[in-house]
Amino acid sequence: MTLQDLIEKYSAYQVEMRRYFHQHPEESTKEVKTAQRIREELDKAGIPWRVCGMGTGTLARIEGKLPGKTIMLRGDIDALSVTEKTGLPFASENKGVMHACGHDCHISMLLTAAHMLNDVRDQIKGTVLLAFQPAEEIGRGAQSMITEGALEGVDACFGMHVWADYPAGTVGIRKGPTMASGDKFTITVKGKSTHGAQPHHGTDALVMAASIVMNLQTMVSREFSPIDTAVVTVGKLTSGTRFNVVAGDAVMEGTTRTFSKEIRDSFAERITRIAKCTAEAMRGTAEVNYEYLVPVTTNDPKICDLAAEAVTKIFGEGKVVEADQTMGGEDFAYYQEKIPGAMVFLGIRNPACNAVYPQHHMCYTVDESVLVKGAALHTQTALNFLGVDLK
């Protein structure tokens, strides 16, 4: 059976699965029904699997007839707390939850790849693992699968993300640092509440918080080299009880992004210093909690080359594009800290089918026609790594 035969055989299945998972999204750590359907599909194909990662993660295994290396293919399965407004006939049935980042595509492509690989398992030299990973959106799923042994005996890993920045039918690949680290910080500010008409009797936590937000911006512009790339964003600030009361406390949450390990390791100290000193200067206090979520996604050059060869075989000449670095983070990076791996971007942008919205948008959708080729890209990259020549 040729690769083209596999693409034709599973084209309808790919779309069917994508639409099912899109219609039934579940948030991080709650992917119970999603996992159940994945396991049912694997059972139908006779592909062995085990629970791996937070109870909802699934690790499937396809053994070749001949000995060889092992590669793990990964697809994340969680959705976002976004209210869908696409108007699609298979739109989310779970109110306030949506596959707005394309993980429905990732599940269905990996399931389809599992079927493709299973069909040619007699030709496989080595082993292919398929990791249906939970909780990517909160940066915890990859670590949980690693803790539960997903990488034992694995030589390399490969992941794919559908991406709205690239035209449908192209694949973005970048060697080296590709996606930024992504961490979270929470700053709790304490002041003293008083009547809004007598601010001198209190210590305004809201004003302190606003000053901390502004002072944090100078970290990037004045503490780091202009050549370095870093982001510090405060995305949420909660303070106050009513219009005529000076706020006694405030809580803000934010994120940091960078491609530099050194800068990442310095964020906690810098944020803490700025927050505490700003609050102290205004007669209050500030405490900082810094959470390390995901490291830098760093692509292995050799795995990238194998993926590029697969792209050319499946999509044709000229379909590999040099991917831009993105400040978005990926917990796939945790696998890459242990073994060589690559995360590539499958272009799904196509105005003809309204696939023009960015990730996490309430109207996000994709050009479904390229997804079965994405499944084939999983398949061919794995075969390339294992040294299997499938026509």
Side-chain angles (χ1 to χ4, degrees):
M1 185 171 286
T2 68
L3 189 62
Q4 187 57 43
D5 290 336
L6 293 170
I7 290 172
E8 292 174 4
K9 178 178 179 180
Y10 289 107
S11 181
Y13 177 80
Q14 166 67 63
V15 173
E16 176 191 353
M17 287 294 101
R18 184 257 163 164
R19 293 186 178 188
Y20 171 82
F21 289 114
H22 188 87
Q23 199 165 20
H24 303 90
E26 295 175 298
E27 293 176 281
S28 304
T29 75
K30 301 176 182 178
E31 313 95 333
V32 176
K33 292 183 179 179
T34 300
Q36 180 180 347
R37 184 59 187 268
I38 290 168
R39 293 163 187 175
E40 288 173 357
E41 294 299 315
L42 292 170
D43 284 341
K44 289 177 188 177
I47 299 171
W49 56 269
R50 70 175 178 91
V51 177
C52 183
M54 307 179 81
T56 54
T58 304
L59 188 66
R61 187 179 192 92
I62 297 175
E63 295 269 7
K65 279 202 167 183
L66 298 173
K69 296 182 290 186
T70 298
I71 183 170
M72 186 185 79
L73 307 177
R74 177 271 213 167
D76 37 14
I77 69 173
D78 51 334
L80 292 161
S81 53
V82 172
T83 299
E84 181 164 357
K85 294 188 177 180
T86 62
L88 293 169
F90 52 90
S92 171
E93 293 183 352
N94 297 341
K95 186 176 180 180
V97 184
M98 177 189 175
H99 272 298
C101 199
H103 294 193
D104 52 332
C105 303
H106 301 168
I107 305 166
S108 55
M109 287 192 297
L110 194 58
L111 263 180
T112 303
H115 282 72
M116 291 178 170
L117 288 160
N118 199 43
D119 281 359
V120 298
R121 65 185 180 278
D122 288 350
Q123 301 179 54
I124 293 177
K125 296 181 291 185
T127 302
V128 182
L129 300 181
L130 303 108
F132 296 89
Q133 181 206 297
E136 186 278 330
E137 293 291 355
I138 59 173
R140 291 170 52 195
Q143 294 180 86
S144 70
M145 294 195 82
I146 292 170
T147 298
E148 295 182 26
L151 294 185
E152 290 178 6
V154 179
D155 300 295
C157 57
F158 178 74
M160 193 184 328
H161 207 306
V162 293
W163 209 248
D165 291 355
Y166 303 112
T170 62
V171 178
I173 301 178
R174 185 182 189 89
K175 297 177 181 179
T178 301
M179 303 183 77
S181 63
D183 299 327
K184 177 184 178 182
F185 61 87
T186 303
I187 304 175
T188 303
V189 179
K190 294 292 184 181
K192 181 182 177 182
S193 182
T194 187
H195 197 294
Q198 298 176 308
H200 57 293
H201 289 317
T203 306
D204 197 330
L206 196 155
V207 173
M208 281 187 274
S211 297
I212 290 170
V213 172
M214 297 306 295
N215 288 343
L216 286 175
Q217 305 312 305
T218 65
M219 186 194 311
V220 174
S221 66
R222 289 297 178 267
E223 294 193 25
F224 298 139
S225 166
I227 298 172
D228 291 324
T229 303
V231 171
V232 179
T233 295
V234 176
K236 181 179 179 181
L237 196 164
T238 304
S239 184
T241 56
R242 57 176 285 132
F243 76 99
N244 63 346
V245 176
V246 169
D249 52 52
V251 178
M252 67 192 82
E253 297 176 353
T255 186
T256 62
R257 308 289 166 127
T258 184
F259 294 106
S260 164
K261 183 181 185 304
E262 291 72 23
I263 290 177
R264 185 191 187 208
D265 290 342
S266 75
F267 274 134
E269 181 277 324
R270 294 174 192 269
I271 292 171
T272 299
R273 168 174 45 80
I274 290 171
K276 283 182 174 291
C277 291
T278 301
E280 184 180 356
M282 303 177 78
R283 299 178 295 119
T285 62
E287 296 297 327
V288 177
N289 179 51
Y290 193 93
E291 299 177 62
Y292 290 89
L293 297 182
V294 297
V296 180
T297 302
T298 304
N299 285 341
D300 180 82
K302 292 182 180 178
I303 307 299
C304 287
D305 288 340
L306 294 175
E309 292 173 13
V311 171
T312 300
K313 182 172 183 177
I314 297 162
F315 293 89
E317 294 288 343
K319 297 302 182 180
V320 176
V321 299
E322 176 77 11
D324 296 325
Q325 287 184 315
T326 173
M327 300 309 285
E330 245 289 354
D331 75 350
F332 185 81
Y334 281 110
Y335 303 123
Q336 294 173 311
E337 287 188 326
K338 306 289 186 181
I339 58 175
M343 168 64 67
V344 305
F345 303 104
L346 175 63
I348 47 78
R349 185 179 184 86
N350 185 352
C353 56
N354 206 36
V356 296
Y357 297 96
Q359 322 292 126
H360 294 205
H361 194 281
M362 62 186 68
C363 294
Y364 181 80
T365 190
V366 306
D367 182 347
E368 287 183 326
S369 68
V370 302
L371 298 182
V372 70
K373 291 188 175 181
L377 179 54
H378 268 310
T379 301
Q380 188 61 54
T381 301
L383 295 176
N384 284 351
F385 180 78
L386 298 175
V388 178
D389 183 17
L390 186 66
K391 301 300 182 185

